[in-house]
Amino acid sequence: MTETAEKRSVVVEADMPYPVEKVWRALTDSECIALWFMKNDLVPEFGHKFTLRSRPIERWDGEFQCQVLEVEENQKISFAWKGGHPELKAFGRYIDTMATWTIAPNADGGTHVRFDHDGFDTSEESNGCYEAMTKGAQSIMRTLNKMIPDFDE
């Protein structure tokens, strides 16, 4: 019998005063994403492999390898998110997770935004990574909300 390791998720939600189309562009346009999150080569097409580029830490090159798993225009984009290094002690070593951005219109013309980052190990050695990703998700949601007005159509 095979045991499945327990996993945990980071979930962050916010209501933003922008129309769905504007939020969707901010979440799926590579140039916009680079301004509020990380440099990247995302193309919002099923199966597309891309890299999120952060700053290098310890022996890690700062790159996350990703692949688009689902795209529903103006509604949802999901992607596999992998990266790290076996000796990356300060950050929690290596992650093999899935990220999903889901958006829906609000009655006031704004947009409800939800970010789910699933698949974090529950081991003690992964606590640093989980905590960093939780704080990071909260921070990027605030940054996204502030920067959307700067993205031209």
Side-chain angles (χ1 to χ4, degrees):
M1 188 165 159
T2 305
E3 286 188 35
T4 304
E6 192 174 323
K7 301 291 182 180
R8 56 189 160 176
S9 301
V10 172
V11 178
V12 180
E13 296 184 74
D15 288 311
M16 299 185 183
Y18 315 107
V20 165
E21 295 78 14
K22 192 160 184 106
V23 175
W24 180 253
R25 180 169 182 259
L27 295 174
T28 60
D29 180 279
S30 180
E31 290 180 18
C32 292
I33 296 166
L35 296 173
W36 63 267
F37 189 37
M38 287 187 240
K39 293 180 182 177
N40 67 92
D41 54 348
L42 171 71
V43 175
E45 295 174 358
F46 175 78
H48 176 74
K49 293 181 180 179
F50 65 100
T51 304
L52 292 173
R53 293 174 188 85
S54 184
R55 74 178 165 81
I57 303 171
E58 296 174 13
R59 295 179 185 224
W60 176 53
D61 62 7
E63 294 187 355
F64 291 106
Q65 302 308 312
C66 303
Q67 183 172 11
V68 177
L69 303 173
E70 185 177 5
V71 179
E72 294 176 36
E73 189 170 352
N74 292 324
Q75 295 178 46
K76 178 193 230 180
I77 184 164
S78 297
F79 52 91
W81 181 334
K82 300 176 184 183
H85 189 278
E87 296 178 30
L88 189 57
K89 296 177 186 77
F91 190 68
R93 298 191 169 77
Y94 184 81
I95 63 169
D96 185 350
T97 58
M98 185 173 91
T100 303
W101 287 98
T102 308
I103 61 175
N106 287 332
D108 65 2
T111 302
H112 183 76
V113 181
R114 179 180 169 116
F115 176 68
D116 292 90
H117 197 167
D118 304 317
F120 291 95
D121 193 289
T122 58
S123 68
E124 189 173 325
E125 69 183 14
S126 295
N127 285 345
C129 176
Y130 180 75
E131 290 169 13
M133 290 299 221
T134 299
K135 288 178 185 172
Q138 294 164 347
S139 176
I140 63 166
M141 188 70 82
R142 287 188 301 270
T143 303
L144 172 64
N145 195 20
K146 287 178 191 171
M147 295 204 60
I148 287 178
D150 297 337
F151 303 145
D152 294 328
E153 297 296 322

